[in-house]
Amino acid sequence: MKFRQLGRSGLQVSEIACGNWLTHGAQINDDQAVQCVHAALDAGITTFDTADVYAGTAAEAVLGKALKGQRRESLVISTKVFFPTGPGPNDGGLSRKHITEAINGSLSRLGTDYVDLYQAHRFDHRTPLEETLKTFDDLIRQGKVLYIGVSEWTADQIARAMKLAGELGLDQFVSNQPQYSMLWRVIEEEVVPLCEQEGLSQIVWSPLAQGVLTGKYLPGHPPPAGSRATDEVGSGWVKTFLRDEVLERVQQLTPIAQELGLTPAQLAVAWTLQNPNVASAIVGASRPEQIRDSAKAAGIRIDPALMRRIDTALGPVIERDPAKVDSAE
């Protein structure tokens, strides 16, 4: 496994991170989840990503169970706050009340005294930004959080937060967690340049474009049985890419992967890591062999000529519109 520095911080994260969105506490049973986490550990992965909202808080509990007994200092555990985790009006958002209550719940479920990285899962348009930033800063002073980041914030929102935190003398964000893949590049025009300037790294999710970049979805054919596209929850996310024009072009990536001695999935993960602003790529797994396969993408360097061939192969199906950064309204 290879490691990269997270933004301007001193924190080192594994190039491949293990995430449990849509899987732990939902699609697979706890024993399978534990096996996947242990396979990640065996592959040298030290960075684990979750969120309080995943599987209605169950995903955090499963991760805590899977990591029990591991040397805490060897792990980087990240979770997130924003989306509702209860029925009340204060059970979501980035208010002082919700953040304070949410971190206590996350720590209890994860079975740890602190999280390494605590992320604002979306931007909160209803709460004053100063309130959110001061609350995050308080958590750092209390030792419950070591570093802070965001997820799916626009370049403007990140810039506003960094400026305000600097003016107030507060701890600043070190990372952003956006969707990023060969097919989904909406962060490249605005978010990445801003983050490079401000000292934030990307920890990207869905580097496989919801599994489409594995090549298992074939144009003109129904989704394979047991795939995300057949799952009640997961299908809502993958449908963005399930168009024949996309699937036909994805098939053209297989010869490129073979030239590098990689699977299409490994090529897709390695591609995200060619961006120097990306510190880590989050991969999920429902089976241990999937996480072992993805971990082999660490340290791979793709020749610029092959990077250009990937762009040519995908051509017009690449989404680049910066307006599609998923910031909550």
Side-chain angles (χ1 to χ4, degrees):
M1 183 52 57
K2 302 293 183 181
F3 298 84
R4 297 187 181 186
Q5 191 165 329
L6 190 64
R8 287 181 183 159
S9 79
L11 184 65
Q12 300 285 316
V13 294
S14 51
E15 286 191 348
I16 311 299
C18 178
N20 69 357
W21 173 54
L22 293 179
T23 51
H24 300 181
Q27 291 180 337
I28 61 176
N29 63 45
D30 289 2
D31 287 342
Q32 289 176 288
V34 170
Q35 290 174 21
C36 290
V37 170
H38 288 180
L41 292 165
D42 290 342
I45 292 172
T46 60
T47 304
F48 295 86
D49 179 81
T50 188
D52 58 4
V53 74
Y54 294 169
T57 73
E60 284 185 327
V62 173
L63 181 60
K65 175 183 177 181
L67 292 175
K68 188 176 182 179
Q70 299 296 321
R71 182 176 183 270
R72 179 63 182 88
E73 295 83 355
S74 298
L75 306 173
V76 173
I77 300 175
S78 67
T79 191
K80 311 178 197 72
V81 58
F82 172 78
F83 289 108
T85 53
N90 292 307
D91 287 330
L94 297 177
S95 68
R96 177 174 292 275
K97 176 175 173 60
H98 181 59
I99 292 174
T100 301
E101 293 169 348
I103 187 61
N104 290 335
S106 290
L107 294 178
S108 176
R109 289 185 290 271
L110 289 165
T112 182
D113 296 328
Y114 67 94
V115 292
D116 300 273
L117 179 63
Y118 201 39
Q119 302 156 98
H121 210 159
R122 292 296 188 274
F123 187 86
D124 187 348
H125 295 270
R126 297 176 178 83
T127 300
L129 185 55
E130 181 175 344
E131 178 179 337
T132 297
L133 296 176
K134 284 185 174 180
T135 306
F136 275 132
D137 193 76
D138 287 344
L139 296 184
I140 292 173
R141 303 289 160 256
Q142 294 165 16
K144 294 181 178 180
V145 171
L146 302 187
Y147 301 93
I148 52 175
V150 301
S151 177
E152 293 290 358
W153 283 30
T154 66
D156 177 67
Q157 290 162 354
I158 295 170
R160 285 168 53 195
M162 297 299 282
K163 182 176 185 293
L164 183 56
E167 292 172 348
L168 297 174
L170 305 175
D171 264 80
Q172 296 186 325
F173 296 127
V174 299
S175 65
N176 175 46
Q177 187 176 128
Q179 180 178 183
Y180 187 54
S181 70
M182 293 177 182
L183 292 171
W184 193 262
R185 308 188 194 181
V186 302
I187 62 170
E188 290 183 340
E189 184 176 331
E190 297 178 359
V191 172
V192 167
L194 185 279
C195 287
E196 289 175 335
Q197 175 185 319
E198 295 290 346
L200 286 76
S201 291
Q202 311 300 316
I203 301 177
V204 303
W205 61 273
S206 197
L208 299 180
Q210 303 297 312
V212 168
L213 289 171
T214 65
K216 65 184 177 184
Y217 296 103
L218 301 175
H221 291 73
S227 65
R228 180 165 293 181
T230 63
D231 177 76
E232 183 177 347
V233 177
S235 60
W237 292 89
V238 72
K239 66 181 181 182
T240 302
F241 305 110
L242 289 183
R243 309 190 311 273
D244 279 354
E245 61 175 332
V246 174
L247 302 181
E248 288 166 359
R249 288 183 173 271
V250 167
Q251 292 301 311
Q252 297 178 36
L253 300 176
T254 299
I256 299 175
Q258 291 173 338
E259 287 183 37
L260 290 167
L262 303 174
T263 65
Q266 290 164 347
L267 175 66
V269 175
W271 181 91
T272 65
L273 293 168
Q274 306 311 297
N275 188 322
N277 192 231
V278 173
S280 186
I282 301 170
V283 297
S286 56
R287 302 188 306 276
E289 57 267 26
Q290 292 174 324
I291 199 77
R292 286 192 288 265
D293 182 76
S294 293
K296 294 175 182 177
I300 299 296
R301 295 297 172 260
I302 303 173
D303 185 271
L306 289 180
M307 293 289 283
R308 289 192 292 271
R309 282 178 56 191
I310 290 170
D311 286 352
T312 300
L314 296 176
V317 301
I318 298 171
E319 182 56 72
R320 301 180 185 272
D321 184 0
K324 292 191 175 181
V325 171
D326 183 19
S327 176
E329 294 298 334

